[in-house]
Amino acid sequence: MAAVLELVAGSYEQITFGYQMKTDEKEWTAKAEFTHHAHIASVSAVAACERFVVTGSRDETIQVYDMKKRIEHGALLHHDGTITCLEFYGTSHLLSGGEDGLLCVWSTKKWECMKSIKAHKGHVTSLSVHPSGKLALSVGTDKTLRTWNLINGRSAFIKNIKQNAHIVRWSPDGDRFVVVMNDKVIIYKLETASVTGTITNPKRISSVKFLNNSILAVAGDDEIVRLCDVGKAKWVCEFKAHETRVKAVDSVSMDDYFVVVTASNDGFIKMWKIHLEELESPTLLGEVNTTARLTCLAVRRPSSVQQQIAEEEAPQATTSEEPVPELPRRKRVQIATEEVVLEEESRPKKKKKKNSGK
């Protein structure tokens, strides 16, 4: 049975698009699964796991979609400001960050907010969960890189950095992580917490994705996607992916190659076949035109049971002119009332002045 991949993309036009890819042909074809207009502002972040898809927006809400039941599950209303980043850990937890400086940990079982941490004095710009699930990294507009102990929800380490970073990512094995500041990728080794290399992109970087433990895909404010060897801290491959700037990049591992998925302001989502052993120019597997200005992207691989159901229920391939079904809405809104845990361990406590009685 051919692998089923689902692509989910958000847009400036407030729409979330879902596509199912038919991968058993030489040229992959996209079937429009759904479009959804749940947000009242542009979609700023998207994440996907085996069962759920979540989208964050400038309207301060996180929308949850149950892809097993094919319904809108509800909205998470805890952040006060734009949702800047979303990331699942497995299928059990979701982490979210926002312009309010909060880092929230959600349980996907009942969609309760388990922890709400005041992570940064400014915005949380990016977060990344360690493969072990015990640690998370976050960066913000307070020029700090913070390591969080997710077991107790407390700050484990704070590093002051020279600039505001807007992306942080762990490698798949958790031995390295990268921090992105404007046009620079700074590579760290976990064991020594030291910088092992720096790579400079010609343009400001918009998105990065580890393909494996050593190769990092980098997209920026131009039409080129570049591959970086983080061990050697050098570029190893580049290709023109779109006609305008690439806004987001994701990937998925297939049998003997990787599929890099790119989304752009030009409205296209494209899938590229890459063999990391050869690192020659990638092959375009397929593309779909959403006709929207795309902002974010996630690739989802359903379980084998969901794949079978999806294949039976999948609509025929659609063009942009044909109507695409919206997900049914479930009248349920989850409002998190968890108390915020303040994390200001880096600031010494002020001693209270004693009243002299005069």
Side-chain angles (χ1 to χ4, degrees):
M1 183 174 67
V4 173
L5 296 180
E6 292 180 349
L7 311 179
V8 183
S11 67
Y12 283 111
E13 289 81 1
Q14 309 168 9
I15 306 290
T16 302
F17 299 89
Y19 294 92
Q20 185 186 120
M21 302 310 301
K22 195 173 182 181
T23 65
D24 57 348
E25 299 174 355
K26 187 175 181 181
E27 183 177 342
W28 291 9
T29 54
K31 294 180 179 179
E33 274 198 300
F34 67 88
T35 60
H36 205 53
H37 195 169
H39 292 289
I40 57 172
S42 59
V43 182
S44 52
V46 62
C49 68
E50 190 176 283
R51 176 166 181 177
F52 295 104
V53 167
V54 291
T55 56
S57 170
R58 297 181 68 86
D59 66 9
E60 307 180 358
T61 69
I62 301 170
Q63 296 288 341
V64 181
Y65 309 99
D66 187 329
M67 302 308 290
K68 182 179 179 182
K69 297 180 180 178
R70 301 281 161 175
I71 60 169
E72 179 188 337
H73 195 73
L76 308 178
L77 310 178
H78 190 74
H79 286 280
D80 184 16
T82 298
I83 311 302
T84 55
C85 44
L86 296 165
E87 184 171 323
F88 279 101
Y89 175 68
T91 58
S92 60
H93 294 87
L94 170 74
L95 275 73
S96 63
E99 286 188 352
D100 52 7
L102 293 183
L103 188 157
C104 298
V105 182
W106 305 84
S107 167
T108 63
K109 190 172 183 181
K110 294 184 179 179
W111 287 107
E112 295 172 336
C113 185
M114 301 170 63
K115 279 286 182 186
S116 183
I117 305 163
K118 182 61 178 175
H120 290 269
K121 295 172 187 175
H123 304 169
V124 177
T125 51
S126 183
L127 62 86
S128 186
V129 186
H130 190 268
S132 68
K134 296 177 181 179
L135 296 173
L137 294 171
S138 68
V139 289
T141 55
D142 55 1
K143 298 181 181 178
T144 63
L145 164 67
R146 300 188 180 225
T147 307
W148 301 96
N149 182 332
L150 294 180
I151 305 301
N152 58 25
R154 294 198 171 274
S155 176
F157 185 72
I158 301 172
K159 181 177 178 61
N160 292 312
I161 50 183
K162 296 178 182 179
Q163 302 176 48
N164 289 330
H166 61 283
I167 301 174
V168 63
R169 291 287 182 271
W170 285 106
S171 62
D173 62 3
D175 289 344
R176 291 189 182 97
F177 61 90
V178 295
V179 174
V180 176
M181 300 180 192
N182 195 21
D183 61 349
K184 289 182 172 57
V185 179
I186 302 165
I187 306 157
Y188 289 83
K189 193 171 184 178
L190 176 61
E191 190 178 2
T192 58
S194 60
V195 175
T196 60
T198 302
I199 291 280
T200 302
N201 198 57
K203 298 284 187 178
R204 185 182 186 275
I205 295 167
S206 56
S207 181
V208 301
K209 173 69 177 181
F210 273 100
L211 305 190
N212 59 15
N213 294 317
S214 58
I215 301 298
L216 181 75
V218 179
D221 286 349
D222 59 7
E223 65 276 12
I224 307 296
V225 172
R226 296 172 177 87
L227 302 185
C228 163
D229 187 322
V230 294
K232 299 175 182 177
K234 69 174 187 178
W235 300 113
V236 291
C237 179
E238 67 175 51
F239 62 97
K240 182 179 177 180
H242 293 268
E243 296 302 319
T244 59
R245 61 179 178 167
V246 183
K247 289 290 292 183
V249 60
D250 204 348
S251 74
V252 62
S253 174
M254 303 300 279
D255 293 335
D256 58 347
Y257 61 93
F258 283 83
V259 176
V260 173
V261 185
T262 58
S264 168
N265 268 1
D266 62 11
F268 279 90
I269 303 172
K270 296 186 179 184
M271 291 135 287
W272 306 88
K273 182 178 183 179
I274 294 180
H275 290 279
L276 295 186
E277 298 79 13
E278 302 166 4
L279 283 177
E280 296 176 351
S281 294
T283 306
L284 181 63
L285 290 168
E287 62 183 32
V288 59
N289 186 6
T290 66
T291 70
R293 294 171 297 161
L294 301 177
T295 56
C296 48
L297 172 73
V299 180
R300 175 176 169 270
R301 178 176 271 175
S303 66
S304 56
V305 175
Q306 290 176 15
Q307 282 191 34
Q308 188 174 352
I309 295 171
E311 286 179 356
E312 292 172 358
E313 298 179 351
Q316 295 299 310
T318 60
T319 65
S320 56
E321 290 79 15
E322 293 176 339
V324 181
E326 280 223 0
L327 286 176
R329 298 198 175 201
R330 182 173 175 177
K331 293 182 180 179
R332 173 184 171 187
V333 176
Q334 180 75 33
I335 301 176
T337 56
E338 180 79 13
E339 187 178 347
V340 175
V341 179
L342 293 176
E343 287 293 345
E344 295 292 350
E345 295 179 2
S346 59
R347 181 185 295 176
K349 293 181 180 179
K350 293 182 180 179
K351 293 183 179 179
K352 291 183 179 179
K353 292 183 180 179
K354 293 183 179 179
N355 190 352
S356 59
K358 291 181 181 180

